[in-house]
């Protein structure tokens, strides 16, 4: 049986923020949410989150994110150190006899596989404690782990408590520990705060437990702890590197990956090409052969196969196969564009369904509208959908052509095979198969001149 405890009571002074550190956001989730997710695969029998500084905010945020889940919140009223935090569990885990996995709430990038390996080793070796370590090129700020020749941990010394010689040891404590809980519970009350910060350190327990074994993490990027905003930015880069590396391995081309961001919720098929300065967010899926960017933002949208999106913004929308979007188009609020369409320069689509092989190539606003197939929307056509109070719908039938600069005043239905003359303001429904003209006749007055 395993219980998981997450240390989330600290303020995170170095963040210079009113928000508790563990609620800072990284790639769409709070830090503590990442930590909870990394431990989910272990199916722990209990999950205890130790909260303190602005504890109600941490608690509210987690209960909102995970309604109905059995998270237990344990209050650490004063933040007297990581060991003091774990001491708060004593009354809650009185009858618990299994292992306790302790995770720092500010170590968000742990892979579930790493935790599984740690737990497996802990059980196999029958350790009193097993701790995750890493050899860092730059270990500044981390606690240093000192082992004997058998890899048994003798002590952990915080960076600030290290002598110059001890600082030469680059093996660091990741802040991830598995303890035999009854053994830990027995020695927890004896912790002393005899260190530079005068805090009760969880790391001091290793001196009183035996055996304590260390295990190195495969990829040291995983164990990065977030203490300040620079760390947060660096963690974002690491996450992005992983997401992008995985998509490249799966057959996606990224041109200038450093200039691209991709949320981990996005789904791509092989042979998608992502051009520079492109950002893919939320529940977005893109089918094979599509080329997105440069300079595009796609959010919560479904993009078909062989679509191109050039310098455009697409949110909460769908685009079918072989359609070309942009440059400089804006699709939003459930724009649903068919196959083989062209949505061109400075066109905005909002809550609009567009049939297959329809073109809206230049300078249009099409909102709250249903367009049939093979419609040609002339340059500058506007659906006037808003009367100042309510939004109204426009319907345009198959093969209809609207002339340049026509205004369709909604609610309105224009039939199939209609031609609307350029510059028309159409206020009444138009039947199938006709020409509609709604503009003043041009008047020419021969010989007319302004009087001097
Ligand atoms: C801690 C470890 C250090 C390790 C590093 C890894 C200790 C003494 N040191 O240092 O060896 O290399 O993590 O990232 O444990 N917290 C509480 N209550 C408290 C104090 C802290 O819940 O009273 C929580 C914080 O919210 C945070 C976590 O514990 O999520 C770690 O605290 P932090 O102050 O960041 O410890 P580090 O100095 O980074
Ligand atoms: Ca930390």
């Amino acid at each position: 049986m395993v219980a998981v405890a997450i240390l989330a009571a600290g303020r995170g002074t170095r963040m210079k923020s009113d928000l508790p550190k563990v609620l800072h956001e990284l790639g769409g989730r709070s830090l503590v949410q990442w930590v909870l997710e990394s431990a989910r695969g272990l199916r722990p029998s209990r999950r205890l989150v130790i909260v303190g500084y602005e504890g109600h905010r941490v608690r509210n945020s987690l209960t909102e994110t995970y309604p109905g889940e059995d998270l237990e919140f344990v209050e650490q009223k004063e933040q007297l150190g990581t060991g003091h935090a774990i001491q708060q569990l004593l009354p809650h885990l009185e009858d618990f006899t299994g292992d306790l996995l302790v995770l720092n709430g500010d170590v968000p990038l742990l892979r579930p596989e790493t935790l599984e390996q740690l737990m497996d080793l802990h059980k196999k070796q029958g350790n009193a404690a097993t701790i995750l370590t890493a050899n860092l090129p730059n270990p500044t700020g981390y606690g240093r782990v000192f082992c004997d020749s058998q890899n048994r941990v003798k002590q952990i010394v915080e960076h600030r408590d290290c002598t110059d010689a001890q600082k030469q040891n680059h093996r660091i404590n990741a802040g991830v520990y598995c303890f035999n809980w009854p053994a830990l519970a027995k020695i927890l009350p004896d912790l002393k705060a005899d260190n530079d910060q005068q805090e009760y350190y969880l790391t001091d327990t290793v001196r009183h437990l035996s055996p304590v074994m260390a295990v190195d993490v495969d990829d040291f990027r995983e164990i990065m702890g977030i203490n300040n905003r620079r760390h947060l930015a660096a963690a974002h880069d690491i996450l992005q590197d992983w997401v992008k590396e995985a998509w490249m391995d799966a057959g996606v081309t990224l041109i200038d990956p450093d200039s691209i961001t991709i949320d981990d919720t996005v789904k791509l098929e092989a042979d998608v090409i992502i051009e520079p300065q492109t950002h893919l967010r939320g529940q977005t899926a893109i089918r094979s052969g599509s080329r997105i960017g440069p300079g595009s933002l796609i959010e919560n949208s479904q993009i078909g196969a062989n679509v191109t999106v050039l310098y455009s913004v697409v949110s909460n929308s769908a685009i079918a196969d072989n359609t070309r979007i942009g440059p400089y188009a804006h699709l939003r609020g459930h724009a649903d564009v068919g196959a083989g369409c062209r949505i061109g320069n400075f066109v905005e689509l909002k809550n609009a369904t567009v049939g297959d092989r329809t073109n809206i190539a230049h300078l249009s606003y099409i909102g709250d509208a249903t367009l049939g197939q093979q419609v040609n929307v002339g340059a500058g056509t506007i659906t006037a959908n808003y009367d100042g109070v309510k939004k109204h719908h426009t319907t345009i039938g198959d093969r209809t052509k609207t002339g340049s600069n026509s205004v369709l005043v909604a609610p309105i239905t224009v039939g199939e095979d209609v031609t609307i003359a350029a510059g028309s303001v159409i206020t009444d429904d138009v039947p199938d198969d006709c020409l509609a003209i709604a503009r003043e006749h041009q008047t020419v007055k021969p010989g007319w001149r302004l009087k001097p």
Side-chain angles (χ1 to χ4, degrees), residues 181-224:
W181 170 251
L184 179 67
K186 206 181 295 165
I187 59 152
L188 262 182
D190 304 330
L191 283 179
K192 296 204 169 49
D194 50 0
N195 50 59
D196 183 49
Q197 294 196 97
Q198 306 205 318
E199 286 187 355
Y200 298 92
Y201 286 168
L202 179 61
T203 45
D204 283 346
T205 60
V206 303
R207 284 189 282 168
H208 309 289
L209 294 169
S210 172
V212 179
M213 302 299 288
V215 49
D216 275 328
V217 69
D218 290 340
D219 181 348
F220 67 76
R221 294 179 294 180
E222 280 183 51
I223 54 83
M224 168 164 209

Side-chain angles (χ1 to χ4, degrees), residues 6-21:
I6 297 176
L7 296 169
R11 172 174 188 167
T13 318
R14 290 165 279 179
M15 294 298 279
K16 309 261 168 71
S17 174
D18 284 341
L19 193 66
K21 174 165 73 178

Side-chain angles (χ1 to χ4, degrees), residues 38 45 60 118 139 145 168 207 260-261 363 386 417 436 442-443:
S38 66
S45 57
N60 289 347
L118 181 84
V145 179
Q168 300 310 307
R207 284 189 282 168
I260 294 168
T261 62
L363 302 163
Y386 187 46
D417 299 293
Q442 179 173 322
T443 306

Side-chain angles (χ1 to χ4, degrees), residues 185-413:
K186 206 181 295 165
I187 59 152
L188 262 182
D190 304 330
L191 283 179
K192 296 204 169 49
D194 50 0
N195 50 59
D196 183 49
Q197 294 196 97
Q198 306 205 318
E199 286 187 355
Y200 298 92
Y201 286 168
L202 179 61
T203 45
D204 283 346
T205 60
V206 303
R207 284 189 282 168
H208 309 289
L209 294 169
S210 172
V212 179
M213 302 299 288
V215 49
D216 275 328
V217 69
D218 290 340
D219 181 348
F220 67 76
R221 294 179 294 180
E222 280 183 51
I223 54 83
M224 168 164 209
I226 311 298
N227 296 317
N228 57 41
R229 310 261 183 169
R230 290 185 189 211
H231 294 155
L232 195 61
H236 185 264
D237 284 351
I238 294 172
L239 263 183
Q240 281 296 306
D241 284 348
W242 284 343
V243 170
K244 289 183 243 178
E245 284 163 14
W247 285 124
M248 288 189 272
D249 291 346
V252 172
T253 294
L254 302 181
I255 302 171
D256 188 12
D258 284 348
S259 74
I260 294 168
T261 62
I262 306 177
D263 283 358
D264 67 345
T265 42
V266 168
K267 301 218 157 30
L268 304 174
E269 286 187 354
D271 292 324
V272 164
I273 299 173
I274 310 294
E275 298 250 18
Q277 305 288 356
T278 292
H279 308 284
L280 308 178
R281 299 201 181 142
Q283 304 299 321
T284 286
I286 303 176
R287 305 276 317 276
S288 184
S290 286
R291 180 182 280 263
I292 312 297
S296 294
L297 168 65
I298 316 282
E299 223 173 8
N300 300 318
S301 293
Q302 276 55 58
I303 313 286
N306 305 312
V307 168
T308 61
V309 179
L310 181 60
Y311 287 111
S312 291
V313 175
V314 179
S315 49
N316 304 309
S317 291
I319 300 167
D321 300 351
N322 303 310
T323 283
R324 285 189 290 154
I325 306 286
Y328 311 111
H330 184 192
L331 279 62
R332 64 187 177 95
H334 305 286
D336 188 346
V337 180
C341 295
R342 191 170 153 230
I343 310 297
N345 314 257
F346 304 103
V347 170
E348 179 178 359
L349 295 185
K350 191 265 304 185
N351 184 32
T353 303
V354 175
D356 295 345
R357 284 169 295 148
T358 283
N359 290 338
I360 313 170
H362 332 267
L363 302 163
S364 276
Y365 172 68
I366 303 293
D368 302 306
T370 306
L371 275 58
Q373 301 190 357
Q374 286 177 275
V375 172
N376 189 72
V377 175
T381 297
I382 305 288
T383 57
N385 60 331
Y386 187 46
D387 61 12
V389 183
K390 272 179 155 170
K391 302 280 172 70
H392 299 283
H393 200 83
T394 298
T395 303
I396 302 177
D398 295 347
R399 295 170 305 279
T400 284
K401 295 177 170 51
T402 68
S404 296
N405 211 30
S406 37
V407 179
L408 307 172
V409 181
I412 195 156
T413 299

Side-chain angles (χ1 to χ4, degrees), residues 6-14 21-22 50-53 76 78-86 103-107 139 141-145 156-161 172-177 195 197 199-204 223-227:
I6 297 176
L7 296 169
R11 172 174 188 167
T13 318
R14 290 165 279 179
K21 174 165 73 178
V22 295
I50 300 161
V51 297
Y53 175 77
Q76 183 193 17
E78 272 181 292
Q79 286 80 58
L80 304 180
T82 49
H84 179 257
I86 295 298
L103 301 171
N104 276 3
D106 65 350
V107 180
Y142 289 95
R144 306 302 158 77
V145 179
I156 301 175
V157 184
E158 289 307 295
H159 179 90
R160 60 200 302 161
D161 297 314
I172 65 95
N173 166 30
V176 175
Y177 326 74
N195 50 59
Q197 294 196 97
E199 286 187 355
Y200 298 92
Y201 286 168
L202 179 61
T203 45
D204 283 346
I223 54 83
M224 168 164 209
I226 311 298
N227 296 317

Side-chain angles (χ1 to χ4, degrees), residues 26-40:
L26 173 66
R29 294 183 185 139
S30 66
L31 296 182
V32 63
Q33 206 182 326
W34 279 102
V35 177
L36 271 165
E37 290 300 335
S38 66
R40 192 180 283 286

